[in-house]
Amino acid sequence: MTLKPTKTVVAPANGTSGTRAEPPSSNRAARAAERRQAIIEAALEEFIARGFAATRLDDIAKRAGVAKGTIYLHFKDKESMFEELVRLVIVPVVERLTKLPPPAGSVRDLVEVFASTFLREVASTRRGDLVRLIVAEGPRFPAVADFYYREVVQRGIAGMRALIELGIARGEIREKGLAKFPQILVAPVLISVIWQSLFERHAPLDAQAMLRVHLDLIFGERRTT
Amino acid sequence: MTLKPTKTVVAPANGTSGTRAEPPSSNRAARAAERRQAIIEAALEEFIARGFAATRLDDIAKRAGVAKGTIYLHFKDKESMFEELVRLVIVPVVERLTKLPPPAGSVRDLVEVFASTFLREVASTRRGDLVRLIVAEGPRFPAVADFYYREVVQRGIAGMRALIELGIARGEIREKGLAKFPQILVAPVLISVIWQSLFERHAPLDAQAMLRVHLDLIFGERRTT
DNA sequence: TGACTATGACTGACCGGTCAGTCATGAATT
DNA sequence: AATTCATGACTGACCGGTCAGTCATAGTCA
């Protein structure tokens, strides 16, 4: 025990209490929650950058500004930490997207709003890499793949199908077969996400523009009478 | 390897030695090549199943029926082995696909033949998982990502674009914007590959059928008049 | 309020297993 | 005999997980 690490000075003030400049939030539970959050963010960052197997808990701890042991106060082990992490990040996004659609306007507009939101919220953020991470680690984490399928894919497909059927009923969509493969609707968005994280530096892709072209394919050329 | 105490067979002179021996490859170079091939296949299998970091060289060796040291007679280390592996698997596929298109028939037929071949040759084989592997490990192996971009993606995009422009010129394709985003053309195929390796067990996907619907979108409903 | 104690969040040195890479040994080939 | 190839026991670095000890904080009492 030679040096006393600075510890307390780390946290950026939460700015709640004006009088006291208290770097660490005072309350114990609050501090714990903060640390937990820091661990989650650090872990996400590291897992995305290195993949599950190559990520070192020491690095997560260092990035989170926490000792390694602390991680084990919040998570059982590396594996369940990873699984829980995915849930923690996905759930709020799904919730956001779920309660999005205001049932008005043309189907095309609906889809466009939806997909654009997705692009903005997911494709161009850290969450985009999370999708890649799931693709990468899914086969080795059935629990993660299952969860992702149930919470995201299945719902997404169902929603898309409903929209497509509506579009067909209203005569906006000509291609009937599309209802059997809603995947086609989102394929370019997915491709954008993967493209960006792999080839952005070779050839950046204008995801929004690509999406528009794709929707033109499905709904016919922009018919803004 | 119960090898007969045979001789070389490489003999320059006429067959002084027995004209025997090929069940177990006799020639030394041939045997080495065989082992190399076995290592490559085993490694591919393991890397696909576990990812780069989690793959053990001991397992590769065991699967290849070879001692670990032997691997190092053929590859510098784990990392360059992985990179070389990707090249070794991709190159022949690219060659096959490159020399495929016989320039005849409608553009739609051309595209359909091409994509179907791709589905058959890639999506439903071990090579499909290789695509997922590249997506997974790409960010950590710039060399692999670069190679893949140059050899596969760039060429593929260029080829698709040429086809699309031809289709537009011939009036088969209405949507002009497609030429700017050839990615859209192959998006469903890529999605198929990823879908199969992640969700096959939840909900198998008829890739060929999906492809047909997608092509209907682009070329208009089957117009076999 | 101030002093004293109990709590448990947090730490980080440590342990044990794992695994990439090496190399002395022996076998096969020339 | 000399050379080339293959082997697998071995080494040492690395890393997930542990736990005895520390100390800020909350609780208790006067």
Side-chain angles (χ1 to χ4, degrees):
Chain A
M1 254 356 108
T2 45
L3 56 111
K4 172 182 274 197
T6 61
K7 63 160 31 175
T8 42
V9 194
V10 178
N14 52 10
T16 40
S17 51
T19 48
R20 264 300 201 70
E22 41 186 357
S25 22
S26 43
N27 175 318
R28 226 151 133 150
R31 269 182 66 71
E34 258 171 34
R35 275 152 186 273
R36 187 188 161 83
Q37 195 55 36
I39 292 170
I40 289 170
E41 273 156 30
L44 186 62
E45 210 75 28
E46 292 287 329
F47 280 134
I48 285 172
R50 301 191 208 295
F52 176 80
T55 290
R56 286 171 298 240
L57 291 202
D58 282 309
D59 289 347
I60 294 177
K62 188 186 282 184
R63 185 189 278 262
V66 146
K68 185 156 58 146
T70 306
I71 292 174
Y72 287 87
L73 298 176
H74 292 276
F75 300 95
K76 182 170 150 288
D77 58 15
K78 194 184 178 188
E79 202 166 306
S80 48
M81 180 184 177
F82 177 72
E83 297 182 356
E84 194 168 336
L85 202 68
V86 173
R87 284 181 180 75
L88 286 171
V89 176
I90 284 179
V91 166
V93 178
V94 168
E95 272 174 11
R96 181 100 47 94
L97 285 180
T98 301
K99 64 178 59 161
L100 187 70
S106 71
V107 172
R108 155 137 198 176
D109 289 340
L110 225 59
V111 171
E112 193 153 357
V113 166
F114 192 81
S116 286
T117 305
F118 183 85
L119 278 179
R120 211 174 37 252
E121 298 261 323
V122 176
S124 53
T125 65
R126 184 74 349 102
R127 289 184 252 265
D129 300 277
L130 183 67
V131 172
R132 209 206 65 246
L133 186 62
I134 291 171
V135 170
E137 307 286 357
R140 290 215 295 136
F141 289 90
V144 168
D146 289 2
F147 175 80
Y148 192 71
Y149 181 76
R150 273 200 324 278
E151 296 299 315
V152 181
V153 176
Q154 206 165 46
R155 292 185 187 195
I157 292 290
M160 292 296 110
R161 176 169 289 133
L163 276 180
I164 290 168
E165 277 164 357
L166 184 60
I168 291 173
R170 285 200 196 164
E172 287 185 59
I173 297 175
R174 229 167 319 145
E175 177 58 45
K176 301 263 194 346
L178 199 60
K180 290 197 69 174
F181 299 105
Q183 288 92 341
I184 291 176
L185 202 65
V186 287
V189 177
L190 250 288
I191 294 297
S192 296
V193 171
I194 292 172
W195 184 283
Q196 298 295 3
S197 62
L198 282 183
F199 308 128
E200 190 170 28
R201 122 189 83 112
H202 296 96
L205 185 65
D206 183 344
Q208 294 281 358
M210 183 163 93
L211 173 65
R212 249 173 278 120
V213 171
H214 187 239
L215 292 183
D216 282 346
L217 270 179
I218 293 174
F219 292 94
E221 203 78 30
R222 270 231 158 263
R223 54 184 61 220
T224 37
T225 36
Chain B
M1 306 290 135
T2 53
L3 260 217
K4 281 206 257 226
T6 47
K7 49 264 40 202
T8 69
V9 179
V10 185
N14 56 23
T16 46
S17 39
T19 57
R20 285 290 83 230
E22 69 269 335
S25 308
S26 47
N27 180 321
R28 207 141 147 160
R31 275 182 57 75
E34 259 171 32
R35 277 157 183 271
R36 188 187 160 83
Q37 195 54 37
I39 291 170
I40 288 169
E41 273 157 29
L44 186 62
E45 209 76 26
E46 293 287 329
F47 280 134
I48 284 171
R50 302 191 209 292
F52 176 81
T55 290
R56 287 172 296 245
L57 290 202
D58 282 307
D59 288 348
I60 294 177
K62 187 187 281 185
R63 186 188 277 261
V66 147
K68 185 157 57 150
T70 307
I71 292 175
Y72 287 86
L73 299 175
H74 292 276
F75 300 94
K76 181 170 151 289
D77 58 15
K78 194 185 178 187
E79 204 167 304
S80 48
M81 179 183 177
F82 178 73
E83 297 183 355
E84 194 168 338
L85 201 69
V86 172
R87 285 182 179 76
L88 286 170
V89 175
I90 284 178
V91 165
V93 178
V94 170
E95 271 174 12
R96 180 102 46 95
L97 286 179
T98 301
K99 63 177 61 162
L100 187 69
S106 70
V107 172
R108 154 134 201 178
D109 288 340
L110 225 58
V111 171
E112 192 152 358
V113 166
F114 191 82
S116 286
T117 305
F118 183 86
L119 278 178
R120 211 175 36 252
E121 299 260 323
V122 176
S124 53
T125 65
R126 185 74 348 102
R127 289 184 253 264
D129 300 276
L130 183 66
V131 171
R132 209 205 66 244
L133 186 62
I134 290 171
V135 170
E137 307 286 356
R140 291 215 294 136
F141 289 90
V144 167
D146 289 1
F147 174 81
Y148 192 70
Y149 180 75
R150 274 201 322 280
E151 295 299 315
V152 180
V153 176
Q154 207 166 45
R155 292 183 186 198
I157 293 291
M160 291 297 109
R161 176 168 289 130
L163 275 181
I164 291 168
E165 278 163 356
L166 183 61
I168 292 173
R170 284 199 196 166
E172 287 185 59
I173 297 177
R174 231 167 318 144
E175 176 57 45
K176 301 261 193 348
L178 199 60
K180 290 197 69 174
F181 300 105
Q183 288 91 342
I184 292 174
L185 202 65
V186 286
V189 177
L190 251 288
I191 294 297
S192 297
V193 171
I194 292 171
W195 183 284
Q196 297 296 1
S197 62
L198 281 183
F199 307 128
E200 190 172 27
R201 126 188 81 111
H202 296 97
L205 185 64
D206 183 343
Q208 295 280 357
M210 184 162 92
L211 173 65
R212 250 174 278 122
V213 171
H214 188 240
L215 292 183
D216 283 347
L217 269 178
I218 293 174
F219 292 93
E221 202 78 30
R222 273 232 155 260
R223 54 182 62 221
T224 39
T225 5

